[in-house]
Amino acid sequence: MVRKALLKNSQASSTDGMRSMSFQDTPARSISLTVMRGGRLVADPLRMQAMSNRCSDVQKALCFQGEPVDESSVKKMILTFEKRSYKNQELRIKFPDTPGRFMETELDLNDIIQEMHVIATMPDLYHLLVELNAVHSLLGLLSHENTDILSFKDVVDLLQELTDIDTLHESEEGAEVLIDSLLEGQVVALLVQNMERLDEQVKEEADGVYNTLAIIENMAEFRPGLCTEAAQQGLMQWLLKRIKAKIPFDANKLYCSEILAILLQNNDSKFTALSPLLVFKRHNPATAEEQEMMENLFDALCSCLMLAANRDRFLRGEGLQLMNLMLREKKMSRTSALKVLDHGMIGPEGSDDCHKFVDILGLRTIFPLFMKTPKKMRKAGTVDKEHEEHVCSIIASCLQNLKAQQRTRLLSKFTENDCEKVDRLMELHFKYLEAVQLADKRIEGEKHDMVKRGEILDDVMEDEFYLRRLDAGLFVLQLLCYIMVEISNSGISQLQQRVHQILNLRGGSVKVVRHIMREYAENIGDGKSEEFKESEQKRIMDLLENF
C-alpha cells in the first residue's frame, strides 16, 4: 500500500536498529537536548542529533548494563524506568519553572525508554510490563501537559514498536496481556487527547500524529473488537475533523482515512458523514495517495450502510443525490459512488432508498451505465466485472423493493427502444454463463484429481469451491438471472417473449436459468433471519414457476 511506503520513509532514520540493539546507560552528559522557547521546553533537533551520534558509539547488541537481555535484565530495566520516571515527576512538581533542576532526570528517563525498545523483540515477556506497572507509567507520560518533552515522543515510538502486528502474533498470550492493560488505561482516549494538542505544522509533532495512528492501527488489527470502544473514546470525531480540515493533503490525512475505514468495518457506528466526499464530486484526486484516501472514505461509508439504521440517515442527508451527481459528473469517484448505492439499496432495508432513487431520476443515470461500461472507468483501473456487478445489483434491488408507480417506471425502461435493455441483459447473461462454465470445468477437474489421490471433499472445500465460482462471475450471473425472472413475471408479455426468444436463438435454456436461481435461493441467509430466508426462497420459487 502507498501508506505503508510513506510510513517506511518517515521512520527509516530511527527505529530500524532498535529491535536488535539497545543503548547502555551513558555517564554524565555534556549535551542538553532542549531549549526554552516561548516559556515551553522544546527539543532542539541539532542537539538531539548530537546525542544520537553519541549514543550510537555505545550501542551493544541485546544487552542491558553489560548483561545479556533475559527476563532478569528486563525486570531490572523496567524497575530502572519506574525509578527514573518517579524521580523526573518529583522534580518537575518541585521545580516547575526551573528546567535546569530536572533536566538531568529528563535525559536519564529518555535513555531508559530507548533501552526498553529491546523488549519489543521478546513479546513473551510483555507480562512484566504489566506486572511491574510500566504500562501505567508509560500512559502517565503520554498525558503529560508538555508534549515537547523527549519522553513523550519516546513513549509513542516505544508503544508503536511494542504493538507491531508481527510482534504481537509472535506471542498471543503476551500480546493479550499488553493490549488488555493498555485498554484498561484508556489508551485510545489518551492518544486522541495528545493528537488534539499536537501542532502538525511542526514536523516532529506531525510525525507524532502518524506514529500514534500506527499504534491504533496495530491494536485494531490484532483485536478488531476494540474498534467500538475506540469510537466511543473520541477517535471517530477526531478522524472526521482531521479529514475535513482545510489543509493540504498529506500522509496523515491519508492515514486518517484508512483508520476511519478500519474503525467502521468493525463497528456499528452511527455515521453517514458525507462532507469529506464533496470535494470529489467535480474534482479528481490529484495523486495516487489522494485517490487511496478517497476510496478509503467511500469504503467507510459502505461499512456504515451495512447497518440498517444508517440507511435512513443516508437518505435524510441526501446521500442518494450526492452519489447520483457523482455518477453524472463522470469523475474517478463514479465507481465508488456505484458501490455506495449498491450498499444503500440492497435488501429490504434499502426499500426507501430505492424509491427515492427513482424519484430523483436515478434510472436515467443507472441504465446508460448498464448498457455500456464507460471507457473512463477502465482507465481508472475498474474492471468490467466490478462495474457490471454493482449496476446489476442496483437494478435487482430496485426490482425487489419497488412498488406501485416507481416499479412501473422501472419496468417501462426495459420496453424502451424495442427492448434494447433486455437485449443487453441477455448479452451479459451469456457472457457470464460462459465464464462460470469454464470455472466449473476447472473445479470439476480439481475434484476428480483430489478423489484419485484419496482426499476427502468436505464442507470446507465445497465452500471454497463455491466462493471461487462466485468470484469467477457466478454472483453477477445470479443477479442477471434474477432480473430475467422478475421482468418475465411483470405481466408485460413483450418482456417475457423477448427473454425466451433470445434464449432460443442462442441455444440457451430455461432449465439452466432455473438451476442457477435455485442454487442462489439455497444460499440466501447469510446474516439474515430464518424467517426472511424462508420468505425470500418461497418468493423466488414462485417466480420460477411462471418463468
Side-chain angles (χ1 to χ4, degrees), residues 177-188:
V177 171
L178 176 64
I179 299 300
D180 284 343
S181 183
L182 288 171
L183 293 178
E184 186 179 334
Q186 301 285 299
V187 63
V188 177

Side-chain angles (χ1 to χ4, degrees), residues 166-222:
D166 293 329
T167 302
L168 293 178
H169 285 303
E170 288 176 16
S171 174
E172 299 281 340
E173 185 177 350
E176 291 286 355
V177 171
L178 176 64
I179 299 300
D180 284 343
S181 183
L182 288 171
L183 293 178
E184 186 179 334
Q186 301 285 299
V187 63
V188 177
L190 286 173
L191 292 173
V192 170
Q193 290 170 16
N194 283 317
M195 289 192 292
E196 288 175 342
R197 294 187 294 163
L198 294 174
D199 179 7
E200 293 186 62
Q201 300 300 314
V202 179
K203 184 183 182 304
E204 289 77 13
E205 298 195 21
D207 289 344
V209 169
Y210 198 99
N211 295 338
T212 299
L213 292 172
I215 296 170
I216 295 169
E217 182 187 26
N218 290 339
M219 293 194 301
E221 185 173 349
F222 181 77

Side-chain angles (χ1 to χ4, degrees), residues 416-513:
E416 292 176 351
N417 300 323
D418 192 26
C419 298
E420 64 175 5
K421 296 175 182 65
V422 179
D423 295 347
R424 172 61 171 167
L425 175 68
M426 302 309 294
E427 176 190 339
L428 290 172
H429 167 72
F430 285 105
K431 170 186 172 180
Y432 282 97
L433 179 62
E434 181 180 359
V436 172
Q437 287 173 340
L438 286 173
D440 286 345
K441 188 175 181 180
R442 287 194 297 269
I443 289 172
E444 287 303 317
E446 290 180 32
K447 288 183 177 180
H448 180 71
D449 292 340
M450 290 177 67
V451 172
K452 284 179 65 176
R453 293 193 298 266
E455 298 179 24
I456 299 175
L457 291 172
D458 56 13
D459 290 342
V460 174
M461 284 303 302
E462 290 293 351
D463 288 345
E464 183 179 328
F465 285 134
Y466 183 69
L467 290 173
R468 282 175 53 185
R469 295 178 65 222
L470 288 173
D471 190 56
L474 177 60
F475 180 61
V476 185
L477 181 61
Q478 290 171 343
L479 292 171
L480 292 164
C481 288
Y482 176 77
I483 296 171
M484 288 165 55
V485 172
E486 276 276 14
I487 64 174
S488 296
N489 279 269
S490 65
I492 304 175
S493 59
Q494 182 184 6
L495 297 180
Q496 186 176 32
Q497 290 170 5
R498 192 57 163 256
V499 168
H500 284 271
Q501 179 186 9
I502 297 175
L503 278 176
N504 292 330
L505 283 174
R506 297 195 55 174
S509 168
V510 171
K511 185 178 179 181
V512 170
V513 175

Side-chain angles (χ1 to χ4, degrees), residues 52-59:
S52 176
N53 293 338
R54 178 175 176 178
C55 288
S56 65
D57 294 333
V58 294
Q59 286 182 333

